[in-house]
Amino acid sequence: FELDAAIDRPLAIMAKPDSVPPSEVTFTLRSPYLDLGELLPPTPGPTLLPNARGGGRVAIGRLIQQKLDVQNVNATVTFDPTHFNVQPFSLDGYGGRISGHAAFDLKNPASPGFQLQAKVDSVQADALLGAWTPAKHLVKGALSTTLDLSGDGTTPEQIRRSLTAVGLAAVASGEFGPTPALAAIAKLTRVPGFEKLTV
């Protein structure tokens, strides 16, 4: 990756937040391929930002982070010692395009808050659901949706207690099933077509 950055008062980055004014940072990050697992290996303890504020632009040809594998990532990033914002962002993935903005609140590092508002345009439903949920091969077709997602925490238990999601989805030229539930309905009604529904 290539990183062009300007840092005012660089030693302030290492200081405890609120002990000295944050360092001022501007940057541009470009990369044809970036695996965040290699760049930022997991470390124990809460998520912390440096004592800095500023922002910059990010352009990544292919971005990988565990289950995430997307292309043509472009984003504007701003941050301070307790907040990290990505406004706006866009990327190609799962056969379609996703854009929106995200915000992370790190005032409580042990349980950071997050908010994501995204527009999903014509992604392949099976590719998206198969990557992030156990529902692989359940829904096929081109999925478009708006999504407003928020919550807090770093563990699955914390996120489950706080997660809220609102959205409206449309599937074009899609299929739903087969599933055991639909198979049972088809058997009960003696209508074999109920095993797989076309939308």
Side-chain angles (χ1 to χ4, degrees):
F1 63 89
E2 296 178 1
L3 177 62
D4 296 323
I7 305 175
D8 180 31
R9 300 172 49 253
L11 293 180
I13 289 178
M14 298 179 288
K16 182 179 179 181
D18 298 327
S19 64
V20 297
S23 177
E24 299 286 344
V25 177
T26 59
F27 72 92
T28 301
L29 173 68
R30 303 178 192 88
S31 175
Y33 174 92
L34 192 60
D35 185 339
L36 292 182
E38 297 175 356
L39 183 66
L40 302 172
T43 56
T47 302
L48 297 173
L49 290 176
N51 186 45
R53 65 186 172 205
R57 295 280 305 158
V58 175
I60 303 172
R62 182 180 179 193
L63 175 65
I64 296 176
Q65 168 66 354
Q66 298 181 0
K67 294 181 180 181
L68 182 70
D69 188 350
V70 293
Q71 300 83 38
N72 301 321
V73 178
N74 288 280
T76 298
V77 175
T78 59
F79 56 87
D80 61 38
T82 58
H83 298 86
F84 187 86
N85 301 309
V86 185
Q87 299 184 4
F89 72 84
S90 62
L91 56 90
D92 296 329
Y94 314 106
R97 187 152 182 85
I98 303 172
S99 60
H101 60 269
F104 302 88
D105 185 340
L106 299 175
K107 291 178 183 175
N108 179 6
S111 184
F114 61 89
Q115 184 174 24
L116 169 70
Q117 292 183 334
K119 178 182 179 182
V120 179
D121 186 15
S122 300
V123 302
Q124 293 303 305
D126 186 47
L128 181 64
L129 295 175
W132 294 98
T133 75
K136 190 171 179 64
H137 306 310
L138 177 62
V139 181
K140 299 179 179 67
L143 172 68
S144 296
T145 183
T146 56
L147 178 64
D148 191 338
L149 186 70
S150 63
D152 58 71
T154 57
T155 67
E157 293 77 19
Q158 289 176 317
I159 294 172
R160 272 196 295 267
R161 288 194 300 266
S162 63
L163 185 66
T164 61
V166 178
L168 181 63
V171 179
S173 303
E175 292 181 349
F176 180 75
T179 69
L182 291 178
I185 293 172
K187 183 177 179 180
L188 179 66
T189 60
R190 298 180 182 177
V191 180
F194 285 165
E195 290 189 6
K196 183 184 292 186
L197 302 179
T198 301
V199 292

